[in-house]
Amino acid sequence: MKTHVSEVFSSIQGEGKLLGRRQIFIRFSGCNLNCNYCDTPESRDPDRGEYISTDELQGRVENLITPDLHSLALTGGEPLLHSDYLKEFLQNNSIDALLETNGSLPDELSKILDLIRYASVDIKLPEHEAVPRWNSLLDNELKSINLLIEEGINTYCKLVVLPSTKIDTVDFIASKIVQEVENNSKLPLIIQPESPLTNWQSKQDKLLEMSEKVGRYLDVLVIPQVHKFLNVR
Ligand code: SF4
């Protein structure tokens, strides 16, 4: 099987709970959403990159293995647009894999649930303008989180917040997760301030307030995109 892979490279994870881990990033082409803060807009093009087989991808991954390798990062675009390809690739792969997904495709997610170790679900806010029907997107994100937790996958959620994001919106998302997600007591929710951080000058108190709101319900962390400080991809 072949698909479009935008890029394959080794770097340091700069977001979320695997922050600082050496990973091999496999960036798939195409995305079904259109977020206004997207930092990889070029990867939304479904034809970007090379059209390669799972064997070719395996070879590229093997060439990038380093002694400090922690895991693969399956990212995009939206990697679950390639779920059948991912399934074939992961069935022959022995390295732990982190799936970075927007959570909008629970049916595709269910095809590879037994093949991933970690998952990051990026929850969209209404102001991200990702889709016109935001409520149904949120329902699918919650369904995806439930599937991951039921399968015992080490899962965390990520909320990219903008300086204009309302505290009440963050509060609403956290409370919705608690209502709709089973066994949520240890679920981390990472508040990720949009880059660049210069946009947050004199607005840091807002991040503290958001953290306090989420902390009433979930295991909250505030983590910016650290790879941008390290000047790595
Ligand atoms: S889901 Fe991710 S890749 Fe797709 S548009 Fe949003 S930020 Fe960009």
Side-chain angles (χ1 to χ4, degrees):
M1 192 181 293
K2 287 190 169 191
T3 204
H4 278 100
V5 176
S6 175
E7 51 182 350
V8 184
F9 60 96
S10 169
S11 191
I12 293 166
Q13 176 59 253
E15 299 181 3
K17 280 210 80 181
L18 297 187
L19 183 70
R21 296 292 191 180
R22 186 75 181 261
Q23 293 189 312
I24 296 171
F25 292 77
I26 304 171
R27 187 181 301 288
F28 289 91
S29 308
C31 187
N32 54 336
L33 303 186
N34 187 11
C35 309
N36 53 7
Y37 66 86
C38 185
D39 63 356
T40 55
E42 64 290 345
S43 68
R44 296 190 62 251
D45 175 359
D47 298 323
R48 187 181 162 86
E50 290 179 83
Y51 192 59
I52 58 171
S53 68
T54 51
D55 284 346
E56 284 172 285
L57 178 59
Q58 190 64 44
R60 297 201 189 180
V61 166
E62 281 164 17
N63 284 338
L64 290 169
I65 291 175
T66 52
D68 56 344
L69 178 66
H70 179 268
S71 44
L72 305 179
L74 310 169
T75 191
E78 174 48 55
L80 287 176
L81 292 175
H82 310 259
S83 57
D84 293 326
Y85 180 95
L86 268 175
K87 184 169 184 176
E88 184 178 296
F89 169 70
L90 291 171
Q91 278 169 338
N92 297 311
N93 160 67
S94 57
I95 307 169
D96 287 341
L98 160 71
L99 173 71
E100 295 186 324
T101 177
N102 60 36
S104 65
L105 301 168
D107 292 343
E108 302 307 312
L109 172 63
S110 60
K111 295 181 187 171
I112 61 157
L113 272 178
D114 56 337
L115 297 168
I116 52 174
R117 174 115 190 241
Y118 306 95
S120 166
V121 181
D122 204 352
I123 298 179
K124 306 304 177 187
L125 303 177
E127 57 259 53
H128 292 160
E129 297 165 14
V131 282
R133 292 174 61 240
W134 177 75
N135 281 323
S136 76
L137 173 61
L138 182 61
D139 286 346
N140 279 331
E141 289 163 344
L142 295 169
K143 197 169 167 190
S144 293
I145 297 165
N146 269 317
L147 286 171
L148 289 160
I149 291 181
E150 272 167 32
E151 188 73 22
I153 292 163
N154 194 329
T155 302
Y156 58 90
C157 302
K158 203 175 72 186
L159 262 189
V160 176
V161 294
L162 317 180
S164 57
T165 298
K166 292 190 172 67
I167 310 268
D168 284 351
T169 310
V170 174
D171 187 46
F172 172 75
I173 301 274
S175 61
K176 193 85 177 150
I177 291 173
V178 172
Q179 286 162 21
E180 306 283 336
V181 174
E182 310 274 339
N183 301 319
N184 57 52
S185 62
K186 293 197 181 129
L187 183 68
L189 190 145
I190 293 166
I191 295 174
Q192 181 176 298
E194 181 202 27
S195 298
L197 291 182
T198 44
N199 291 348
W200 287 88
Q201 265 166 16
S202 75
K203 294 198 173 108
Q204 290 87 344
D205 284 355
K206 199 165 184 182
L207 291 175
L208 296 177
E209 232 182 297
M210 288 176 180
S211 176
E212 286 163 23
K213 288 281 186 193
V214 176
R216 289 159 57 205
Y217 311 101
L218 295 164
D219 183 17
V220 62
L221 300 92
V222 179
I223 308 178
Q225 289 184 301
V226 171
H227 54 289
K228 300 210 167 154
F229 296 106
L230 294 173
N231 222 4
V232 295
R233 280 203 275 178

